[in-house]
Amino acid sequence: MDYMEYFGKLSLKVEPIIDDTTLRDGVQMPGLAVSPEDAAEIARLLDEIGVERIELHHFHDADKKAARLIHDLGLNARIAGWCRALREDIDDAIDCGFEEVGISHPVSHIHFRAKWPDKSEDDLLRRVVDAVEYAAKDHGLRVFVHGEDSTRANWEFERRFINAVAEAGAECYRICDTVGIGLSDPAAPLPNGIPAKVKAIKAETKIESIEIHAHDDFGNAVENTMAAIRAASGLWDKVYASTTFLGIGERAGNAETEKVIMNLYLHYGVKKYEGKTGLLKRLADLIGRATGYVIPPNKAIVGDYAFAHESGIHTHGVLRDPLTYEPYPPELVGNKRRLTIGKHSGRAIIRFKIKSLTGREPSDEQVAAVVSRVKAIYSGGRKASLREEEFKRILNEVGIEI
């Protein structure tokens, strides 16, 4: 039976574009850092897996070096700098060789009161319009505008804001679900109903395209990203998804690049990722090593245990047909199947493990002897799976030669 029988039932009438911000928002996660050389290698692999826009920091010396190295790679992906609504930030991006920038500015009154208590809405609009015009019209840069805290913004103001930046030269508006309160339910109203916002921006503004940037404070970042893409289908020509690999980022992080890609590829039949997903695990491991981020072993798609099986029921099923407990082959994402021996292991996996190590079919008595030794180990309170050398030692103890 082909696993693809269960996928590709849906389609999209919009072009989804991954805009990866691992090297900007991702590395803002407390405790993480990345060298310029590693940043360049991460960018190279992001390009290979089909990311079409990569967002970078460029304010520190190391960031500037990384930007130079990445530009020198000549990637297919567009490389964008991240700026505040300040001319000096835009000048810095130009000096670093960027031809495209994202200009970030809050759109909620929560932020206005906290950051600019003496400024009016019109004052803030003029501030952003000036920055966009300076980048787009004076310097010919492609400009995205990031509406920080969009999901808590007053719609009347946000609509004015989007139209103002569109007239100033911005081509894309980013819906930023800054504190992760966005809702994917089509019935959810503005300001935090993601489908409602996608539709309202199309109906009531002049902006050319939209983007979703979802945070994971409620664990909904991937779902909200997919909800924005679904809502854009049939309304917009293209929709950008701002994501980070492994979901790293501020606080609870962001929508995972790898999850969005796999949802688009398998569930919605987005063919441009075909033949590229085999690099996902390799890229995840590189980011873990390069940044110091410890990847949870049970992380979906790219975790070491994403295709690991230990309990008797699961291992018995997988040994007969991997589809019993795996949605697709681990090789599709560059991962591998792991069959481990532990507290819940049954005779089937132990028999399989003995045969794989010795090249011979064990007798029922040999299997029973090994099962007995394993149970004895775990009756003492051990939790971790057996390491390979420990299992080999057990085989030696019961007289099974390797």
Side-chain angles (χ1 to χ4, degrees):
M1 185 177 292
D2 185 359
Y3 71 93
M4 285 302 295
E5 178 182 341
Y6 304 98
F7 295 108
K9 308 295 186 183
L10 300 170
S11 61
L12 295 168
K13 296 179 180 178
V14 65
E15 177 72 10
I17 298 172
I18 300 295
D19 179 6
D20 187 276
T21 185
T22 302
L23 296 172
R24 197 277 301 175
D25 194 325
V27 295
Q28 289 176 199
M29 180 174 174
L32 300 192
V34 62
S35 72
E37 293 76 14
D38 284 337
E41 180 62 9
I42 289 167
R44 188 185 68 78
L45 286 176
L46 287 170
D47 182 62
E48 285 196 34
I49 66 171
V51 168
E52 295 174 70
R53 188 174 186 267
I54 298 172
E55 187 173 73
L56 305 177
H57 264 316
H58 51 88
F59 299 109
H60 299 106
D61 288 342
D63 299 329
K64 294 179 190 297
K65 181 178 179 181
R68 287 195 302 272
L69 292 173
I70 291 168
H71 280 121
D72 288 346
L73 292 172
L75 303 177
N76 292 316
R78 292 147 50 192
I79 310 300
W82 183 92
C83 302
R84 296 165 296 177
L86 298 171
R87 290 192 174 202
E88 52 263 41
D89 280 15
I90 295 162
D91 287 339
D92 190 79
I94 293 168
D95 290 342
C96 289
F98 290 99
E99 297 179 355
E100 182 167 350
V101 294
I103 296 176
S104 183
H105 196 280
V107 289
S108 80
H109 287 77
I110 295 171
H111 283 253
F112 297 164
R113 289 191 296 268
K115 298 174 180 178
W116 302 284
D118 300 326
K119 299 287 187 183
S120 68
E121 288 183 357
D122 288 341
D123 290 335
L124 295 173
L125 272 179
R126 282 192 292 269
R127 180 177 188 264
V128 180
V129 166
D130 175 74
V132 173
E133 288 182 340
Y134 183 69
K137 296 181 178 179
D138 295 352
H139 292 282
L141 303 180
R142 296 183 72 171
V143 177
F144 281 37
V145 170
H146 309 164
E148 188 180 10
D149 208 21
S150 170
T151 47
R152 294 190 296 184
N154 174 275
W155 172 243
E156 296 304 315
F157 172 78
E158 189 174 21
R159 178 176 58 192
R160 285 178 60 210
F161 181 94
I162 297 169
N163 279 319
V165 298
E167 290 176 6
E171 68 175 75
C172 183
Y173 179 72
R174 175 184 286 183
I175 301 166
C176 296
D177 185 19
T178 300
V179 294
I181 64 165
L183 291 170
S184 63
D185 191 328
L190 297 175
N192 62 323
I194 300 295
K197 180 146 291 188
V198 169
K199 294 174 182 178
I201 292 173
K202 182 64 176 178
E204 300 181 43
T205 78
K206 303 171 185 176
I207 199 74
E208 179 185 330
S209 58
I210 58 162
E211 179 167 28
I212 179 67
H213 176 83
H215 279 267
D216 208 33
D217 299 76
F218 280 78
N220 297 329
V222 170
E223 169 56 20
N224 284 333
T225 299
M226 295 304 301
I229 293 170
R230 291 191 296 266
S233 183
L235 286 180
W236 297 84
D237 292 331
K238 56 189 174 185
V239 56
Y240 291 83
S242 174
T243 58
T244 65
F245 222 88
L246 298 167
I248 59 175
E250 297 280 0
R251 301 185 320 280
N254 299 265
E256 292 98 326
T257 300
E258 67 275 15
K259 290 182 180 178
V260 175
I261 284 177
M262 289 302 290
N263 271 279
L264 290 173
Y265 173 49
L266 288 180
H267 287 303
Y268 291 91
V270 178
K271 296 299 184 185
K272 63 184 173 181
Y273 302 116
E274 191 167 14
K276 300 177 179 180
T277 58
L279 291 171
L280 294 177
K281 172 64 171 167
R282 177 180 165 190
L283 179 50
D285 289 343
L286 169 62
I287 291 170
R289 291 193 304 271
T291 65
Y293 176 71
V294 178
I295 302 171
N298 65 337
K299 187 75 171 174
I301 302 169
V302 294
D304 283 347
Y305 291 177
F307 298 89
H309 311 277
E310 183 174 292
S311 73
I313 292 174
H314 282 235
T315 53
H316 184 263
V318 167
L319 288 171
R320 288 183 173 234
D321 181 355
L323 280 180
T324 52
Y325 291 105
E326 292 174 357
Y328 51 80
E331 296 79 12
L332 182 66
V333 294
N335 213 327
K336 65 180 181 180
R337 184 174 301 116
R338 290 170 171 83
L339 300 174
T340 62
I341 303 298
K343 179 179 180 180
H344 303 290
S345 295
R347 297 173 68 89
I349 181 57
I350 287 177
R351 180 182 295 275
F352 172 83
K353 200 76 173 177
I354 295 171
K355 185 176 180 180
S356 67
L357 289 172
T358 66
R360 302 183 303 276
E361 185 72 39
S363 68
D364 290 345
E365 291 76 15
Q366 288 175 320
V367 172
V370 175
V371 168
S372 177
R373 292 294 182 100
V374 170
K375 288 183 181 294
I377 290 172
Y378 284 94
S379 67
R382 176 171 174 140
K383 296 179 174 63
S385 301
L386 290 179
R387 296 187 300 274
E388 191 88 334
E389 58 269 25
E390 291 178 298
F391 189 72
K392 288 179 180 179
R393 191 180 309 127
I394 292 172
L395 299 191
N396 182 62
E397 289 171 356
V398 300
I400 299 175
E401 294 182 1
I402 299 175

